[in-house]
Amino acid sequence: MATFTRSSSTAAVLALAAVVLAVLGGAVEAQQLAPNFYSRTCPNLARIVRRGMASAVQKERRMGASILRMFFHDCFVNGCDGSILLDDTSTFTGEKGAGPNANSVRGFEVIDAIKAQVEASCTATVSCADILALAARDGVNLLGGPTWSVPLGRKDSRTASQSAANDNLPGPGSSLSTLISMFGNQGLSARDMTALSGAHTIGRSQCQFFRSRIYTEPNVNASFAALRQRTCPRSGGDANLAPFDVQTPDGFDNAYYQNLLQQKGLLHSDQELFNGGSQDALVRQYSNNPALFSSDFVTAMIKMGNLLPSAGTRTEVRLNCRKVN
Ligand code: HEM
């Protein structure tokens, strides 16, 4: 019979303690993500998410964009931990009501429906944060953008922070230096920021977020401003929608950057990327090299997806994405 040396028995005790902690308290440490994380525990995961996103996008093309944005707004607030999905409770005010999210981020019921399908097939196994990461990838791809393999193994938060959402998410009036520093705070470079902003090649914005740009800014294309003014009056109509990209509003391509060259950026923050500053050259490159944009976008999405809650944060695999277990 094997006898334990002192150090191996210590190691065994530590390993056991880690298992007990993981079972009782949820994961206590940030994990290394890997695309094959669920290959044995939930082999159909990617297919289930893809099917859910395909049906949502078939019902409404915009949903691919909405879910991509939801993932960004999740990752920028204490890491990609599904915190944006939590409803308010008596003990915390969630992120759904934060300024950048309220009456704006949409698609929660799409994630709920996918989660229900995933639970039916692999109970209590796949985090809501991972489902959102996969759904965002599929949203991009279903609208004609690239696909990539998504590193997995995120855990879900047990809380949410409205104030962190208000503090960490950039607003449409942001200057280039603010954008660079807000992405920098997350460990993302200016290049990552400019590539990720290409997400605005799909989706819509409400009039209230671009009104001042189309009525008051000097660096806006006159016919573009006139077109947008038709459905975004000087007062009223705050929630009226306009596509970010007029030509291919639901096509994930590099038209966003071509629009910026013509001063047809919809938000002030969009046009800041091409307004005589440090990102001009990269915007030009993306505008005539779709493959470069595509590959930088994927790199930056994976980098953003690697933002995790700080080590020591208690996490879990939520059963219902809207509430902690
Ligand atoms: C660079 C700073 C950014 C700012 C200031 C910004 C701001 C905004 C604003 C104001 C809207 C319109 C929301 C509404 O009308 O309700 C919007 C929409 C959107 N954003 Fe951003 N955003 C930024 C970066 C990003 C990034 C990094 C992504 C994803 C990688 C993203 C993806 C989207 C998408 C897809 C939409 C359209 C959503 C829909 O149609 O439902 N944005 N963004």
Side-chain angles (χ1 to χ4, degrees):
M1 194 207 266
T3 51
F4 284 108
T5 63
R6 223 165 71 117
S7 66
S8 69
S9 65
T10 308
V13 168
L14 283 178
L16 184 66
V19 170
V20 169
L21 268 178
V23 170
L24 290 179
V28 290
E29 220 173 273
Q31 309 228 10
Q32 185 65 35
L33 305 181
N36 64 356
F37 187 82
Y38 300 106
S39 57
R40 282 186 305 118
T41 54
C42 196
N44 289 325
L45 174 62
R47 271 184 291 273
I48 298 170
V49 176
R50 177 76 179 193
R51 200 179 341 112
M53 281 303 291
S55 107
V57 166
Q58 197 184 21
K59 264 189 225 131
E60 186 203 18
R61 306 276 296 158
R62 183 186 172 197
M63 194 51 75
S66 302
I67 297 295
L68 173 60
R69 181 168 189 240
M70 189 190 289
F71 180 58
F72 161 51
H73 284 205
D74 186 30
C75 293
F76 263 51
V77 184
N78 302 324
C80 318
D81 60 356
S83 56
I84 194 172
L85 305 171
L86 288 172
D87 288 339
D88 291 355
T89 70
S90 53
T91 56
F92 65 79
T93 314
E95 294 163 26
K96 290 179 180 180
N101 295 334
N103 299 313
S104 180
V105 169
R106 57 199 295 280
F108 296 109
E109 64 296 334
V110 171
I111 300 302
D112 290 339
I114 296 174
K115 174 67 169 172
Q117 295 290 313
V118 171
E119 285 299 305
S121 177
C122 334
T123 313
T125 304
V126 182
S127 64
C128 297
D130 277 341
I131 289 173
L132 182 53
L134 286 167
R137 184 270 312 264
D138 288 341
V140 168
N141 184 240
L142 285 159
L143 295 185
T147 190
W148 60 95
S149 78
V150 178
L152 298 168
R154 296 168 190 80
K155 291 288 185 287
D156 297 321
S157 71
R158 293 179 42 80
T159 186
S161 170
Q162 186 163 111
S163 59
N166 282 324
D167 292 348
N168 294 337
L169 292 165
S174 302
S175 65
L176 179 60
S177 65
T178 298
L179 295 172
I180 291 175
S181 78
M182 291 188 91
F183 279 68
N185 291 342
Q186 305 281 352
L188 298 171
S189 66
R191 188 182 185 100
D192 294 327
M193 185 276 292
T194 296
L196 286 169
S197 297
H200 288 178
T201 185
I202 52 175
R204 309 287 185 275
S205 174
Q206 301 176 50
C207 163
Q208 57 181 314
F209 300 123
F210 60 83
R211 178 183 286 119
S212 66
R213 168 150 174 77
I214 59 171
Y215 286 102
T216 67
E217 297 193 352
N219 61 345
V220 62
N221 177 289
S223 62
F224 173 71
L227 173 70
R228 293 282 70 106
Q229 287 170 8
R230 280 160 51 183
T231 53
C232 183
R234 280 182 191 276
S235 75
D238 282 8
N240 293 357
L241 295 174
F244 276 100
D245 172 19
V246 193
Q247 267 81 41
T248 51
D250 298 312
F252 194 100
D253 52 24
N254 66 337
Y256 172 76
Y257 302 99
Q258 296 168 348
N259 293 336
L260 294 185
L261 295 191
Q262 302 171 61
Q263 301 195 311
K264 293 179 179 176
L266 187 58
L267 306 180
H268 174 84
S269 54
D270 290 322
Q271 199 61 54
E272 279 290 286
L273 304 185
F274 189 79
N275 192 33
S278 65
Q279 301 306 293
D280 279 21
L282 188 56
V283 168
R284 279 189 206 282
Q285 281 186 291
Y286 289 158
S287 76
N288 60 34
N289 190 342
L292 177 68
F293 162 55
S294 199
S295 107
D296 280 6
F297 180 79
V298 168
T299 300
M301 281 293 287
I302 291 172
K303 220 166 138 183
M304 182 171 80
N306 281 333
L307 298 173
L308 297 177
S310 43
T313 308
R314 265 187 80 199
T315 54
E316 64 186 15
V317 171
R318 241 177 261 151
L319 297 176
N320 174 340
C321 295
R322 290 175 184 266
K323 50 183 202 194
V324 298
N325 293 340

